[in-house]
């Protein structure tokens, strides 16, 4: 069975695998339509595309990116799909977002130094391919030195919103992210709506904001969701008139977020790929 997966990460952001290893793993798990969606980064795309062509692999790659935005004090993720890789609006936005990431990482480092983690920024930088550590790289550093037992604990104790090394970041707005994706020829998808720790009332407020910003789709199927979550998100897609996307949010090969485990989209929603000329589901 061939399947669709429109959300995944390589080591160009906080994923563990190279673009080649990611593509080979996706093929092994019968993914036939894959979007690589690194955080604020599109460097893996031409490399992955070359791997597919060169090795004649049975998989279609969709250009993707996951843009961090700032909304009402929350970090909200907007996935862009099928944009033109050379589009200037997207490239310019990503330069700004990377600058935000550098400034934020330095501040996180300073806050961790206050907790006596000397040179936290430098250590975390060494774990990031491009030298700009994302929060999972700081988490890995804290695990490596034995300060916490796992990633969850690192986020809970230090990195998540409200914790002592959390840094509010000047990301672009939801409106700007959607606008830039559209100007670059792509479609805008609200990523994992149930993973922002928002009450039902706030989720609806977020969906309204995304609708007014002309967002196209929301992620309905994800790996770590219950059947009730899936149904709830499908209902939101119908209620607000959004197309529906699905993606594993693959970061590394672990039991809860591997390729090939996604449920199919409920039949009452319209897939975001409905007019892409593909047969996978
Ligand atoms: P950043 O882009 O630096 O803000 O890091 C966000 C990434 O951290 C997300 O894409 C997830 O991969 C990871 N993440 C966020 N919250 C948690 C959490 N509570 N536990 C583990 N990983 C998390
Ligand atoms: Mn991530
Ligand atoms: Mn995300
Ligand atoms: Mn993601």
């Amino acid at each position: 069975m061939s399947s669709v997966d429109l959300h995944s990460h390589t080591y160009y952001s906080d994923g563990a695998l190279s673009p080649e290893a990611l593509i080979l793993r996706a093929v092994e798990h019968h993914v036939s339509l894959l979007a690589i969606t690194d955080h604020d980064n599109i460097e893996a795309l031409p490399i992955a595309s070359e791997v597919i062509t060169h090795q004649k692999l049975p998989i279609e790659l969709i250009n993707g990116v996951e843009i961090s935005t700032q909304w009402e004090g929350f970090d909200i993720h907007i996935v862009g799909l099928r944009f033109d890789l050379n589009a200037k609006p997207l490239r310019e936005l990503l330069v700004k977002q990377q600058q935000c990431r550098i400034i934020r990482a330095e501040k996180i480092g300073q806050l961790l130094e206050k907790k006596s983690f000397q040179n936290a920024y430098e250590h975390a930088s060494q774990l990031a391919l491009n030298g700009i550590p994302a929060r999972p790289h700081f988490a890995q550093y804290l695990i490596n030195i034995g300060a916490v037992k796992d990633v969850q604990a690192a986020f809970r104790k230090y990195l998540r919103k409200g914790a002592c090394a959390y840094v509010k970041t000047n990301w672009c707005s939801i409106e700007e992210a959607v606008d830039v994706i559209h100007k670059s020829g792509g479609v805008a998808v609200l990523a994992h709506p149930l993973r922002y720790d928002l009450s039902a009332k706030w989720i609806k407020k977020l969906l309204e904001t995304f609708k007014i910003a002309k967002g196209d789709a929301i992620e309905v199927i994800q790996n770590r969701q219950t059947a009730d979550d899936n149904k709830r998100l499908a209902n939101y897609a119908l209620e607000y008139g959004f197309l529906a996307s699905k993606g594993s949010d693959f970061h590394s090969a672990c039991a809860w977020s591997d390729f090939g485990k996604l449920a199919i989209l409920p039949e009452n929603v319209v897939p975001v790929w409905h007019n892409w000329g593909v047969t996978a589901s």
Side-chain angles (χ1 to χ4, degrees), residues 33-197:
L33 188 70
L34 175 77
I36 294 179
T37 55
D38 279 314
H39 297 285
D40 300 304
N41 190 301
I42 54 176
E43 287 174 69
L45 298 173
I47 300 167
S49 179
E50 169 62 27
V51 166
I52 293 167
T53 310
H54 193 243
Q55 300 186 35
K56 299 192 175 65
L57 296 169
I59 188 167
E60 187 181 336
L61 181 70
I62 300 293
N63 288 340
V65 66
E66 184 171 15
I67 300 174
S68 292
T69 72
Q70 181 66 232
W71 176 76
E72 302 277 353
F74 294 95
D75 293 4
I76 303 295
H77 291 175
I78 307 293
V79 164
L81 298 174
R82 283 190 119 210
F83 47 79
D84 167 9
L85 201 53
N86 297 312
K88 223 169 145 197
L90 183 63
R91 294 215 167 239
E92 285 174 356
L93 176 66
L94 296 183
V95 169
K96 282 197 289 180
Q97 295 280 106
Q98 290 297 335
Q99 283 162 354
C100 286
R101 284 190 170 271
I102 295 169
I103 294 166
R104 181 184 67 154
E106 287 168 355
K107 285 186 187 160
I108 293 174
Q110 287 160 11
L111 290 169
L112 288 174
E113 295 242 348
K114 283 193 188 154
K115 298 283 165 191
S116 312
F117 299 115
Q118 299 302 315
N119 302 317
Y121 172 76
E122 286 74 12
H123 288 295
S125 297
Q126 282 164 13
L127 300 172
L129 185 76
N130 60 2
I132 309 174
R135 284 184 290 168
H137 299 114
F138 282 100
Q140 192 55 52
Y141 155 68
L142 292 167
I143 294 166
N144 292 351
I145 59 169
V148 291
K149 70 172 187 340
D150 56 23
V151 179
Q152 308 309 332
F155 270 83
R156 198 171 54 243
K157 222 169 156 190
Y158 298 103
L159 300 166
R160 77 170 180 199
K161 187 170 149 75
C164 61
Y166 176 79
V167 173
K168 191 165 176 270
T169 310
N170 201 17
W171 306 121
C172 65
S173 64
I174 290 178
E175 291 79 5
E176 188 179 358
V178 173
D179 188 46
V180 163
I181 290 166
H182 285 165
K183 282 187 175 135
S184 303
V187 294
V189 184
L190 176 65
H192 42 68
L194 302 184
R195 271 211 266 133
Y196 301 112
D197 263 339

Side-chain angles (χ1 to χ4, degrees), residues 7 9 39 66 249 251:
H7 191 150
H9 296 271
H39 297 285
E66 184 171 15
D249 204 359
H251 281 74

